[in-house]
Amino acid sequence: MLPDGLEPDSLVQLLSTDYIFAVSFVILIIVLLFRPTGLFKGKSV
Amino acid sequence: MSTSARDIGLFALVAGLIVLTGVMQSWNAALTIMNMGLISAIMALGVNLQWGFAGLFNVGVMGFVAIGGLATVLIAMPPVEGAFAAGGLRVLTALLLGAATIIAAVVVQSQLAGKAKALATIVILVAGFFIFRTVLDPGVAAIEAINPALEGNLGGLGLPVLMAWPVGGLLAAGVAWVIGKTALGLRSDYLAIATLGIAEIIIAVMKNEDWLARGVKNVVGLPRPVPYEIGLQNDPGFVERATGLGLDPVTASTLYVKTQYGLLFALVLVILLLGAQLALKSPWGRMMRAIRDNEVAAEAMGKDVKRRHLQIFILGSAICGIAGAMMTTLDGQLTPGTYQPLRFTFLVWVMVIVGGSGNNFGAVLGGFLIWFLWVQVEPIGLFLIETATSGLAADSALKLHLLDSAAHMRLLTMGLILLLVLRFSPRGLIPER
């Protein structure tokens, strides 16, 4: 897809695969910080 | 029976249990339980500060304990030769760049508005991530290439290991500051989920960043603050004294080393307990409890609730960090794979709840008692099952199954104790007063 010069010579891996849990928790924390009642504006107690 | 007599009785009971272990099993086992009991008591003190004083529901204890352990490696291990020259500067620059990216994103968040804000944030974060990785990766590769079987990390500063204890506390305090600044504004149950997640993230980073502390390859052979057993056994003066006491020199050396550790830990525990007790009795402690009991009322009286929460969150986490550094020193190795939430977060919580949240002595008692049971329930369970099934044939399927399952008594018993204490003494063995 990319032009010749920019194409990586192997698979592009952004993070080590062992970070699956960390990434999901990061998503959770970011959502909690910016949308404390969930992405769809859930009910706040 | 007056309350203090009951407290002393409970402490005497736990001391008796440990002494009984010494008599029935071995004094080495008893001292091992006591040393980890001291560390557990310190962890429980930290959690008690957060939960008992201020009502902060922190279930990320494991993360702070692990950071304390990391501090031990970073302070006490000798630096790896050539590692810093190979990639240390690159890694440090990359970390600074990463921090700068996040700060830039935060600044953009507060300065811009609308579509420009979203766009600028995304551009900064994505570009920052790729710059971070471009700078970091060659440095990491260079560091990890140095003698990977034994080292492959940056190593530490080669300072005395005892310095790692306060530094572990400081490091945990710094992390707690970052977490508190972002997550303490959340409602209490969301704070619990956020701290749980952050603790998992800390462990994931420690497991995977091999350049830092070798990740799951573990750092072994940490320096010790006490003499080595083999050194004592080769010391004629020590052997003479041991035989003079009628002890085998090998046993005597192990007992001596464990006692030294125990004295060091006891010193730290006494200092922290004294501090926590003075804090609890001070106007500051009363203010904390007032905030815990009614945040709105305390805020109406002019108390800065957010600031106080941050303060006690940092203090409690620092204590957990100190305990973590002490534990890693006692183990002599850092094994990130062994940090399990069940063992390092929830067991500490059981200690605080069983001991009595809000009471420092309760937390200390819970630390000793729960640690003792955690260690001893397995052998006791096995012994009970063996006795109960002794009438059955040796190859009876039922007997084999029961013996196989006996090891799982541990978790069952922890739950059972928690339930029993909550039923018959809902505020813990030594309640807050």
Side-chain angles (χ1 to χ4, degrees):
Chain A
M1 280 198 286
L2 288 171
D4 275 348
L6 290 176
E7 202 169 324
D9 47 9
S10 63
L11 288 175
V12 177
Q13 193 183 6
L14 296 181
L15 275 177
S16 153
T17 48
D18 297 312
Y19 276 122
I20 39 172
F21 284 121
V23 169
S24 31
F25 277 120
V26 165
I27 294 171
L28 172 73
I29 288 162
I30 289 175
V31 169
L32 279 179
L33 289 179
F34 290 98
R35 290 275 170 97
T37 52
L39 288 176
F40 284 106
K41 297 261 179 230
K43 214 170 90 183
S44 147
V45 181
Chain B
M1 194 158 57
S2 76
T3 46
S4 62
R6 184 168 172 268
D7 299 353
I8 294 170
L10 283 166
F11 272 104
L13 177 80
V14 175
L17 285 174
I18 293 177
V19 171
L20 196 67
T21 309
V23 176
M24 303 245 313
Q25 293 178 326
S26 78
W27 288 101
N28 260 317
L31 282 174
T32 311
I33 292 177
M34 193 195 68
N35 283 347
M36 272 310 290
L38 286 163
I39 292 173
S40 304
I42 294 174
M43 288 182 197
L45 262 186
V47 173
N48 184 42
L49 217 59
Q50 292 175 342
W51 172 245
F53 286 26
L56 293 177
F57 197 27
N58 173 16
V59 277
V61 183
M62 172 182 71
F64 299 110
V65 171
I67 288 197
L70 179 66
T72 317
V73 171
L74 294 184
I75 291 294
M77 281 308 270
V80 173
E81 217 158 296
F84 196 82
L89 223 50
R90 275 193 93 94
V91 168
L92 286 184
T93 321
L95 292 181
L96 285 178
L97 281 174
T101 308
I102 292 170
I103 291 170
V106 171
V107 169
V108 162
Q109 284 281 322
S110 63
Q111 296 295 323
L112 298 176
K115 280 213 168 116
K117 175 167 122 179
L119 195 68
T121 314
I122 291 170
V123 167
I124 288 177
L125 286 181
V126 171
F129 179 76
F130 279 99
I131 295 172
F132 169 70
R133 287 296 300 266
T134 331
V135 179
L136 182 77
D137 284 1
V140 168
I143 292 171
E144 288 176 7
I146 298 172
N147 192 6
L150 283 174
E151 287 158 344
N153 65 335
L154 272 180
L157 299 173
L159 296 169
V161 69
L162 283 183
M163 270 190 61
W165 298 3
V167 171
L170 283 178
L171 217 57
V175 174
W177 182 80
V178 175
I179 297 172
K181 271 284 180 195
T182 50
L184 269 184
L186 296 170
R187 264 176 35 207
S188 61
D189 42 353
Y190 286 177
L191 175 69
I193 300 173
T195 46
L196 186 75
I198 289 166
E200 286 294 341
I201 293 170
I202 292 172
I203 301 299
V205 169
M206 276 179 58
K207 275 185 186 168
N208 290 298
E209 297 307 311
D210 288 10
W211 58 269
L212 188 63
R214 301 196 76 228
V216 283
K217 291 185 287 182
N218 304 339
V219 178
V220 294
L222 287 166
R224 290 165 66 161
V226 296
Y228 282 87
E229 284 89 344
I230 190 75
L232 289 174
Q233 288 159 27
N234 291 334
D235 173 11
F238 181 81
V239 174
E240 198 175 311
R241 264 184 297 155
T243 39
L245 288 168
L247 282 168
D248 166 38
V250 175
T251 319
S253 66
T254 54
L255 291 178
Y256 178 79
V257 167
K258 288 195 173 80
T259 316
Q260 296 264 300
Y261 269 123
L263 289 175
L264 281 173
F265 295 159
L267 183 70
V268 177
L269 177 64
V270 166
I271 292 171
L272 289 176
L273 184 60
L274 199 67
Q277 203 56 20
L278 287 174
L280 183 67
K281 299 275 180 242
S282 70
W284 183 83
R286 285 194 291 277
M287 174 180 66
M288 280 304 172
R289 285 188 286 171
I291 291 176
R292 178 197 66 191
D293 291 339
N294 193 336
E295 257 178 54
V296 179
E299 200 152 17
M301 300 293 281
K303 302 298 176 198
D304 192 345
V305 172
K306 251 190 151 165
R307 199 181 142 82
R308 296 297 150 206
H309 273 172
L310 184 64
Q311 204 174 31
I312 202 144
F313 188 72
I314 290 175
L315 281 176
S317 304
I319 293 181
C320 291
I322 294 173
M326 288 161 59
M327 197 193 71
T328 306
T329 312
L330 176 68
D331 291 344
Q333 55 183 359
L334 180 71
T335 49
T338 57
Y339 287 103
Q340 301 287 340
L342 191 70
R343 156 75 183 84
F344 285 99
T345 298
F346 296 106
L347 196 65
V348 181
W349 267 90
V350 172
M351 289 166 186
V352 173
I353 294 168
V354 166
S357 67
N359 190 318
N360 294 318
F361 290 101
V364 171
L365 176 81
F368 278 106
L369 180 65
I370 295 297
W371 182 257
F372 174 82
L373 291 169
W374 178 255
V375 175
Q376 289 291 19
V377 153
E378 255 185 50
I380 294 172
L382 198 62
F383 170 75
L384 280 179
I385 293 291
E386 266 174 357
T387 320
T389 58
S390 56
L392 294 171
D395 58 345
S396 144
L398 179 65
K399 176 172 184 169
L400 292 176
H401 174 76
L402 284 175
L403 283 178
D404 267 354
S405 324
H408 303 295
M409 284 285 283
R410 191 183 243 189
L411 298 177
L412 177 86
T413 317
M414 290 300 128
L416 194 67
I417 290 163
L418 189 62
L419 284 178
L420 284 176
V421 169
L422 285 178
R423 168 64 186 82
F424 292 105
S425 178
R427 295 167 65 219
L429 291 174
I430 307 183
E432 182 184 2
R433 47 180 83 95

